[in-house]
Amino acid sequence: MALLDLLLIVFYLLAMIGIGVYFSRKNKSSAQFTTASGAIPGWALGLSFYATFLSAITFLGDPGKSFGSNWNPFVFSLSIPLAAIVATKWFVPFYRRSGEISAYTHLEKRFGGWARSYAMVCFILTQLARMGTIFYGIALTLNALTGIDMRLIIIVAGLCIILYTVLGGMEAVIWTEVIQAVLKTLGAGMILYLITLKTPLSTIIETGLREDKFSLGSFNLDFQTSSFWVILLYGFFINLTNFGIDQNYIQRYHTASNRRDAGMSIWLCVLYYVPVSFLFFFIGTALYAFYGDNPALILELKQQVSIEKNIPLEALKASDYGDRVLPFFMKTQIPTGFLGLLVAALMSAGMSTMSSGMNSSATVFLKDIYLRYVNPVADDKKQFRVLLFATACMGGLGIVFGISMIGVKSLLDVWWKLSGIFAGGMLGIFLLGFLAKKAANFDAKIAAGLGVILIAGMSFKDNLPAYLQIPLDAKMTVVLGTVSIVGIGYLLAKIRSK
């Protein structure tokens, strides 16, 4: 990379740390650290939610998928408005009325301590999986551009995020996300513009139609493959989890000054994310058309992947190197100056999600572990110190998970599998308590136990004998787990009441 590009990246990192330092003057209490004292305007909160959605998984995974296959994963984005309807009508009013910062306090009141602990553990594991996947995405790109070891990239980026998150708390997280949201949106537009300078828009569309790249998947009611309906159901349930039981989002409902702003922020997120997600999938198709017309320009990448994965060059498929195409294009086709801005946009895509994850995980540690089991009478100064320590620890664990992810085939596939495993039980228990008013502790325990067995069976079905395998696509894990817990709990409550 040219010196100018490196200076732009360093400037971006210093600016993010500077925001943390600026807000550190106000960040002196646990309330300020976790909810910014409820002083965030709705438009900024909407950009914050959007920035969390638009992570490095989107930045690299979406173009990688549309390059290597088609637009089937875009159906996930189309499911977000459906989940937003439920969230604004029921979830936001529920949490704003409760006044509880932790998303899992309600579960203990409803079913007992085991439900709160189970959901809390699932949330922390989800955050670690998310942070690890995003760290790896950032490292993958910077390694392709600079040759710097991926482990070193993950460590340096992680330390910068930890620093500004610890210093500035939730207010720094949200305002850095506002900046990052604008930066990565501009970055996506810039990438597509630079591609269309080399390949006309008409050629991209013609290639996409000819190669069936714009397909959203089969519309048959087929739940054994990645059909349109499987992705729609998966996206709906995952986004219900995000808006209904994910501490990342629940905590930020309390940062808005009123319920109306909190609800509006969800719809602003939808308004921003769906078209930009469309843009990233189109970028993948545009890259497919560009390299289809210029195969010699991608030969270097294909040879590299062929050696790394021990796959003969002639047997290499587009899906084998899809996640690497955008970083390779940035490395070889983007002019000096623009490259530094695009790398900063990519880093912002990862940092926004991870900073909010660190802050919310620290809040869960304080509310659901420390105040519950260690020191229930801790004063505010003690709680504030615990939050700072927990944020740094979660960041460190995220770095470890990121290093362990090095070498995966597809960012999007890995993240979807892990999120499906952890989300099913969380959402199922929450919806059971929310919808089945007569369901009691006993009903929930039995339902959760059977639901977790089904989730485990779906997650590891390849290791089971054929007669025990559930004939559903792996992305149905969250759907089956959630529906089974709610259904079993509801039936048990009905039977017990009679």
Side-chain angles (χ1 to χ4, degrees), residues 213-247:
K213 285 290 179 181
F214 298 119
S215 170
L216 297 177
S218 169
F219 284 88
N220 295 330
L221 289 176
D222 175 13
F223 299 101
Q224 297 184 36
T225 60
S226 188
S227 65
F228 175 92
W229 304 109
V230 165
I231 302 298
L232 188 70
L233 283 170
Y234 169 82
F236 178 67
F237 278 82
I238 285 293
N239 287 305
L240 278 186
T241 304
N242 289 337
F243 293 137
I245 196 70
D246 190 321
Q247 180 69 25

Side-chain angles (χ1 to χ4, degrees), residues 81-353:
L82 303 176
I85 293 171
V86 178
T88 51
K89 187 171 180 60
W90 288 290
F91 295 164
V92 172
F94 171 77
Y95 283 111
R96 291 286 301 192
R97 279 196 308 269
S98 76
E100 297 287 354
I101 303 303
S102 169
Y104 313 117
T105 305
H106 161 72
L107 293 178
E108 182 172 20
K109 293 177 180 177
R110 187 70 177 80
F111 294 128
W114 69 271
R116 180 179 184 177
S117 298
Y118 173 78
M120 177 262 296
V121 169
C122 284
F123 168 75
I124 290 177
L125 290 174
T126 303
Q127 292 309 302
L128 291 174
R130 178 184 282 147
M131 285 192 283
T133 307
I134 293 169
F135 269 132
Y136 170 57
I138 293 173
L140 188 70
T141 303
L142 290 182
N143 172 260
L145 295 173
T146 65
I148 298 173
D149 183 74
M150 282 199 268
R151 294 169 183 81
L152 180 60
I153 293 169
I154 290 171
I155 291 170
V156 172
L159 290 176
C160 288
I161 300 167
I162 291 170
L163 186 57
Y164 79 71
T165 306
V166 167
L167 287 172
M170 180 55 79
E171 194 161 11
V173 167
I174 289 176
W175 288 110
T176 53
E177 285 183 332
V178 169
I179 296 169
Q180 289 160 350
V182 174
L183 184 60
K184 53 196 173 186
T185 304
L186 292 175
M190 188 186 303
I191 290 170
L192 184 58
Y193 171 73
L194 292 170
I195 297 172
T196 54
L197 289 179
K198 302 171 184 293
T199 304
L201 193 61
S202 58
T203 302
I204 296 169
I205 294 173
E206 287 171 10
T207 303
L209 292 172
R210 185 178 67 250
E211 302 284 342
D212 202 26
K213 285 290 179 181
F214 298 119
S215 170
L216 297 177
S218 169
F219 284 88
N220 295 330
L221 289 176
D222 175 13
F223 299 101
Q224 297 184 36
T225 60
S226 188
S227 65
F228 175 92
W229 304 109
V230 165
I231 302 298
L232 188 70
L233 283 170
Y234 169 82
F236 178 67
F237 278 82
I238 285 293
N239 287 305
L240 278 186
T241 304
N242 289 337
F243 293 137
I245 196 70
D246 190 321
Q247 180 69 25
N248 252 330
Y249 298 84
I250 309 310
Q251 186 171 332
R252 277 181 281 182
Y253 294 159
H254 297 284
T255 65
S257 56
N258 55 64
R259 194 176 84 182
R260 179 181 173 277
D261 281 359
M264 180 184 72
S265 67
I266 292 178
W267 283 110
L268 287 174
C269 170
V270 173
L271 181 66
Y272 302 143
Y273 182 78
V274 175
V276 174
S277 172
F278 177 95
L279 186 62
F280 276 104
F281 278 99
F282 195 82
I283 285 171
T285 304
L287 288 171
Y288 184 86
F290 170 70
Y291 285 118
D293 288 346
N294 304 278
L297 296 180
I298 202 172
L299 184 59
E300 178 189 344
L301 175 63
K302 293 172 71 173
Q303 289 172 337
Q304 181 183 348
V305 174
S306 174
I307 294 169
E308 288 179 5
K309 298 189 176 182
N310 197 26
I311 301 173
L313 190 62
E314 60 276 7
L316 208 62
K317 299 177 182 177
S319 57
D320 292 322
Y321 53 93
D323 282 346
R324 301 194 181 193
V325 169
L326 181 55
F328 183 76
F329 178 83
M330 292 167 63
K331 175 184 178 182
T332 57
Q333 302 296 324
I334 303 296
T336 299
F338 285 107
L339 181 57
L341 291 173
L342 290 176
V343 172
L346 172 63
M347 294 185 72
S348 72
M351 295 170 79
S352 58
T353 305

Side-chain angles (χ1 to χ4, degrees), residues 9 32 57 64 73 77 94 113 117 130 146 176 209 226 230 235 247 302 372 379 402 432 442 450 459 470 481:
I9 295 168
Q32 178 66 24
I57 301 171
S77 302
F94 171 77
S117 298
R130 178 184 282 147
T146 65
T176 53
L209 292 172
S226 188
V230 165
Q247 180 69 25
K302 293 172 71 173
R372 189 157 167 255
D379 60 23
L432 177 62
F442 172 80
L450 294 174
S459 303
I470 301 172

Side-chain angles (χ1 to χ4, degrees), residues 86 90-91 95 106-107 110-111 236-237 240-241 244-245 423-437 439 478-479 481-483 485-487 490:
V86 178
W90 288 290
F91 295 164
Y95 283 111
H106 161 72
L107 293 178
R110 187 70 177 80
F111 294 128
F236 178 67
F237 278 82
L240 278 186
T241 304
I245 196 70
M426 294 169 63
L427 182 62
I429 296 171
F430 172 72
L431 290 180
L432 177 62
F434 199 79
L435 299 174
K437 303 300 182 184
V478 63
V479 180
T482 302
V483 171
I485 291 173
V486 175
Y490 179 80

